[in-house]
Amino acid sequence: MKKSDLACLLTLAALWGASYLFMRVGAGEFGALSMAGARAAGASLLLMPILAARRDGSLAQLRRHWQRIALVGMTNCALPFLLFGYAALSINASLSAIFNAATPLYAAIIGWFWIKERIDAPRAASLALGFAGVAWLVCDGVGFKDGATGWAVLACVAATMLYAFSAHYSKQRLAHIDPLVVATGSQLSSAIVLAAPAWIWRPSVMPSASSWMALLALTVASTALAYVLFFHLIARVGAARTMAVPFLVPAFGVLWGVLFLGEVFSAKMALGAALIVAGTALTTGVLKRGDGGRKTPASSCLHSDRRGH
């Protein structure tokens, strides 16, 4: 990579890592549902003009494939936004970011059930290593706030499983569609689905300025701008190198949580995070295993992931 591409990669990871910080700051006053709806609406308003300005038939693609794109909007944006927002009420931003790193593990399991991807012994061991890290964090309760329940952890797990499903579905049904069309359409469909519930369950008290700033940063920086950088990187350096981003997101998520929220990153959290990232890297073929580092089907599937954070 050129230095400019590396800088773009790090910026993208920093923005996606910061999304957990912004949700942690704003979800308490906005509520998970209203924050998710506002985030999707704002991102779609920012992305739609970019898509409309293109003269390559992107809008026609969006109209032609809107049903499939709307499904991805539900599984890749609306529900994960809501679930991670709910989790932010109870657990540290750092922990949410670490849980998100397990997405490729769930993708491998879904691929095994859905399209019969082979899981050999080394890959099964890699999956076990990653899930051991998740179990360690859950059972030990590190990163939990006072009064936190298992529902917050379940919300994170459900969100990452939805991201994993979206990766496979996008690979199977939307690979021929321009990625920016899918990204914009999924945000737009999410905004439409969440509009009425977000309005009905809107905050009864006006949120503070800090919460509004968190929502604005989440929408503009961690969603709309991050998507633009994501697709810019894919065009510049390819999908394989761009997929280094998910491995950097937990590091930035932890960093922002420690710096701006005073969260404690303990040795126990570090161990759990290391197990998850190592298991994920081995499962997707980023780290070499006994098969010579050949990339697995799960890693190629994730290269087409239009994931939001």
Side-chain angles (χ1 to χ4, degrees):
M1 288 189 194
K2 294 182 178 179
K3 290 182 179 180
S4 58
D5 297 326
L6 181 59
C8 187
L9 184 80
L10 293 173
T11 300
L12 177 58
L15 291 175
W16 273 343
S19 65
Y20 303 99
L21 162 69
F22 300 140
M23 283 187 281
R24 180 67 187 162
V25 172
E29 295 186 39
F30 276 102
L33 188 51
S34 290
M35 193 167 200
R39 177 185 182 182
S44 61
L45 288 173
L46 291 169
L47 289 171
M48 276 301 294
I50 298 175
L51 194 69
R54 301 171 67 175
R55 305 297 180 184
D56 56 359
S58 294
L59 288 177
Q61 263 196 329
L62 179 58
R63 289 191 295 268
R64 193 161 55 247
H65 302 286
W66 71 269
Q67 290 176 311
R68 294 178 179 179
I69 293 173
L71 176 59
V72 172
M74 285 295 297
T75 62
N76 201 52
C77 301
L79 290 175
F81 287 177
L82 175 59
L83 290 167
F84 272 121
Y86 170 75
L89 299 172
S90 301
I91 61 178
N92 286 348
S94 304
L95 189 58
S96 292
I98 292 169
F99 277 137
N100 184 66
T103 298
L105 304 178
Y106 297 109
I109 299 298
I110 291 174
W112 179 53
F113 277 105
W114 186 3
I115 56 178
K116 309 303 179 185
E117 287 183 351
R118 186 173 65 91
I119 297 182
D120 55 18
R123 196 164 170 225
S126 302
L127 286 169
L129 181 66
F131 284 123
V134 175
W136 170 265
L137 292 173
V138 172
C139 294
D140 200 70
V142 290
F144 285 42
K145 296 294 184 181
D146 291 338
T149 67
W151 291 109
V153 174
L154 184 61
C156 287
V157 171
T160 52
M161 289 184 70
L162 287 166
Y163 282 152
F165 166 82
S166 300
H168 280 286
Y169 184 85
S170 298
K171 179 69 174 179
Q172 296 292 318
R173 306 293 176 85
L174 300 175
H176 61 291
I177 302 175
D178 187 298
L180 188 58
V181 173
V182 179
T184 305
S186 60
Q187 295 292 340
L188 180 60
S189 61
S190 298
I192 294 171
V193 168
L194 292 171
W199 175 255
I200 293 171
W201 281 282
R202 65 190 183 276
S204 57
V205 177
M206 179 64 69
S208 63
S210 61
S211 292
W212 278 106
M213 290 298 293
L215 175 60
L216 181 64
L218 177 66
T219 301
V220 176
S222 295
T223 308
L225 177 58
Y227 265 123
V228 173
L229 289 176
F230 181 63
F231 297 121
H232 170 75
L233 268 174
I234 288 177
R236 288 274 300 174
V237 303
R241 291 180 178 177
T242 304
M243 285 311 295
V245 172
F247 298 99
L248 298 173
V249 168
F252 280 103
V254 169
L255 177 63
W256 302 145
V258 171
L259 289 179
F260 297 106
L261 298 178
E263 296 179 353
V264 177
F265 184 59
S266 65
K268 292 181 179 180
M269 287 183 70
L271 176 59
L275 290 173
I276 292 172
V277 172
T280 299
L282 288 167
T283 299
T284 57
V286 172
L287 290 180
K288 292 182 178 181
R289 300 189 314 243
D291 55 7
R294 174 180 54 82
K295 289 197 173 185
T296 65
S299 66
S300 62
C301 168
L302 289 173
H303 291 169
S304 65
D305 184 7
R306 279 92 172 175
R307 183 172 44 192
H309 292 259

